Amino acid sequence: MNEYAPLRLHVPEPTGRPGCQTDFSYLRLNDAGKVRKPPVDVEAADTADIAYSLIRVLDDKGNALGPWAEDISPEILRQGMRTMLKTRLFDSRMVVAQRQKKMSFYMQSLGEEAIGSGQAMALNRTDMCFPTYRQQSILMARDVSLVEMICQLLSNERDPLKGRQLPIMYSVREAGFFTISGNLATQFVQAVGWAMASAIKGDTKIASAWIGDGATAESDFHTALTFAHVYRAPVILNVVNNQWAISTFQAIAGGESTTFAGRGVGCGIASLRVDGNDFIAVYAASRWAAERARRGLGPSLIEWVTYRAGPHSTSDDPSKYRPADDWNHFPLGDPIARLKQHLIAIGHWSEEEHQAVTAELEAEIIKAQKEAEQYGTLAGGQMPSPASMFEDVYKEMPEHLRRQRQELGI
Ligand SMILES: Cc1ncc(C[n+]2csc(CCOP(=O)(O)OP(=O)(O)O)c2C)c(N)n1
Ligand SMILES: [Mg+2]
């Protein structure tokens, strides 16, 4: 007789579903201020404990604790606050504009604003970011023109990308913001390649790569880690673990019995696991990784633990696959509320200032939206001219395209 039970596969499941509250103990959290800060020339293997804990600075009362809290001025924190607020306000207005059919599609970064904001502020403007569609906060940190951003969203006659990209897939080379590609995980190989090129040229610029928890299951992620490790590419490898990949729980991409930061250690890359809803932790960890890259010490991988508070996109309804009020129970809270609490506690912010800055930023966004809408909206029909689809593709237009353009009479 066979002494073994029949074999079966393990299929991970989220702990919460609609009507059943999530048990967030799966997150493996620890208190603020508890995780050490290694020297920037640390060996990858000596970050293993950090890759399985969580770097946090702000505690539940808004105190900044521990070694990662050092040397951050209130001015930086105030700037971080403005950047996060601007991102959130922009997102919420653009969602309304999408509902009004002024644009076809939109993606918010609700709940994740600290990550792009903090990292962009820790980098130089000339460093190149290879973002996904959820790092619009980088553009906010770099003060990119809101009018241009909105023209892209509206696919109108002033769309800098001439209607060739899905709304939100910005491309702003002069702000160190590489063209967003809908093909996920390509960002990782491209960023590592760009960082290697920077080193080959003897430049001092570094790269910042972005990927979500779900997309780490793509082979490009693993290829990028190998090249980054072998050649010590000057790159920060950011994994945004917001718990969801559309309706798929992060455990399906492999976050159940290990961490995403743990992947880096196994590949010989110094790795940190960080509270992504804690602006101070984001800024400090990003500065640490940037310093490693700039000193030629090689790549760092950072897993940012956060929560995708909104729908995946305007085409998604998350209440179908997770509890509708899940974010309210997420133990790492809201990045804006947490930094606000801290800034008020140290006397560098107030409820009145919060209201005033919100009103000021809202007015700025409304003004930019009005200006952008003059050049057309999706509903209004002012689009880039059909002739423009023949431009910017070939240096010299091939004969068959020349003929097609003639047939169209444009
Ligand atoms: C290579 C590839 N496969 C699938 C998709 C379809 N897709 C778009 S977004 C998404 C989920 C990505 O989730 P995650 O990487 O966790 O990022 P998040 O949306 O949570 O920021 C998928 C599967 C795609 N765009 N590219
Ligand atoms: Mg995700």
Side-chain angles (χ1 to χ4, degrees):
M1 231 179 58
N2 192 338
E3 63 186 290
Y4 300 106
L7 291 164
R8 45 188 303 192
L9 291 177
H10 168 65
V11 181
E13 276 288 332
T15 60
R17 282 294 189 194
C20 162
Q21 207 172 311
T22 303
D23 173 5
F24 281 109
S25 64
Y26 76 84
L27 284 170
R28 283 178 260 225
L29 305 180
N30 48 255
D31 289 342
K34 293 284 186 242
V35 177
R36 69 194 168 86
K37 184 174 184 179
V40 286
D41 59 356
V42 67
E43 292 292 328
D46 293 335
T47 61
D49 57 322
I50 305 178
Y52 288 92
S53 22
L54 194 70
I55 296 170
R56 308 180 67 184
V57 171
L58 291 172
D59 72 6
D60 293 344
K61 299 198 173 63
N63 301 307
L65 305 174
W68 294 88
E70 289 156 15
D71 303 332
I72 299 178
S73 70
E75 214 22 70
I76 290 282
L77 300 183
R78 287 168 55 83
Q79 204 185 322
M81 189 68 192
R82 277 186 80 94
T83 307
M84 292 196 290
L85 268 176
K86 192 169 168 182
T87 308
R88 185 167 296 182
L89 295 167
F90 184 83
D91 276 352
S92 70
R93 275 202 78 83
M94 294 308 117
V95 167
V96 173
Q98 193 277 337
R99 293 284 180 256
Q100 293 169 334
K101 299 190 172 15
K102 291 175 178 171
M103 63 186 75
S104 57
F105 180 76
Y106 193 74
M107 295 177 95
Q108 313 177 60
S109 63
L110 183 65
E112 303 177 32
E113 296 92 343
I115 305 168
S117 304
Q119 179 139 131
M121 287 173 57
L123 295 175
N124 297 335
R125 199 184 164 87
T126 49
D127 296 327
M128 187 59 84
C129 300
F130 290 75
T132 73
Y133 42 69
R134 240 182 272 287
Q135 281 86 45
Q136 49 268 56
S137 50
I138 295 174
L139 296 170
M140 298 297 169
R142 292 184 169 177
D143 268 327
V144 166
S145 152
L146 297 182
V147 176
E148 276 195 25
M149 285 175 71
I150 301 171
C151 285
Q152 198 280 329
L153 296 170
L154 299 172
S155 314
N156 66 17
E157 64 186 22
R158 288 278 180 105
D159 171 2
L161 305 179
K162 304 182 184 175
R164 290 165 197 188
Q165 282 268 57
L166 195 68
I168 60 95
M169 302 230 167
Y170 309 102
S171 173
V172 196
R173 182 205 291 246
E174 59 284 5
F177 193 93
F178 197 83
T179 314
I180 297 179
S181 167
N183 305 327
L184 295 175
T186 53
Q187 293 76 17
F188 250 52
V189 270
Q190 290 169 0
V192 171
W194 191 96
M196 287 169 66
S198 182
I200 290 167
K201 287 187 278 190
D203 208 332
T204 56
K205 298 187 195 102
I206 65 172
S208 144
W210 294 86
I211 201 166
D213 46 274
T216 62
E218 285 280 343
S219 53
D220 275 351
F221 172 69
H222 303 276
T223 309
L225 295 198
T226 303
F227 273 78
H229 158 62
V230 170
Y231 297 104
R232 286 192 206 143
V235 61
I236 307 176
L237 302 161
N238 298 286
V239 179
V240 180
N241 179 2
N242 62 6
Q243 314 308 315
W244 292 93
I246 315 185
S247 56
T248 303
F249 184 53
Q250 52 100 6
I252 293 283
E256 187 177 59
S257 42
T258 182
T259 67
F260 292 97
R263 314 282 207 278
V265 180
C267 284
I269 295 173
S271 301
L272 312 175
R273 188 168 176 263
V274 182
D275 178 346
N277 290 7
D278 174 342
F279 178 85
I280 304 183
V282 173
Y283 181 74
S286 296
R287 277 218 306 189
W288 182 88
E291 183 67 13
R292 278 175 53 77
R294 250 183 254 290
R295 285 203 201 170
L297 296 166
S300 313
L301 184 146
I302 309 178
E303 174 183 347
W304 305 106
V305 180
T306 184
Y307 189 85
R308 196 200 74 213
H312 172 72
S313 71
T314 46
S315 312
D316 176 45
D317 174 6
S319 69
K320 294 274 190 286
Y321 53 82
R322 67 185 193 190
D325 63 347
D326 218 27
W327 189 36
N328 299 337
H329 302 285
F330 183 63
L332 300 177
D334 171 354
I336 293 183
R338 287 177 64 192
L339 186 60
K340 179 179 170 195
Q341 185 189 30
H342 173 69
L343 273 172
I344 290 176
I346 60 170
H348 285 276
W349 198 254
S350 65
E351 216 41 84
E352 298 71 51
E353 189 169 6
H354 196 84
Q355 299 311 324
V357 172
T358 301
E360 177 202 324
L361 292 170
E362 249 167 5
E364 185 187 336
I365 295 163
I366 291 170
K367 184 164 171 276
Q369 188 179 353
K370 283 201 174 129
E371 186 180 337
E373 287 184 6
Q374 285 172 11
Y375 307 117
T377 69
L378 189 68
Q382 277 159 277
M383 292 188 277
S385 84
S388 70
M389 76 178 148
F390 292 93
E391 295 162 6
D392 307 330
V393 181
Y394 293 98
K395 186 160 175 249
E396 281 162 35
M397 196 182 296
E399 191 45 42
H400 71 285
L401 288 186
R402 212 188 303 277
R403 271 200 308 276
Q404 285 180 18
R405 193 169 65 174
Q406 272 166 4
E407 275 171 36
L408 282 171
I410 48 179

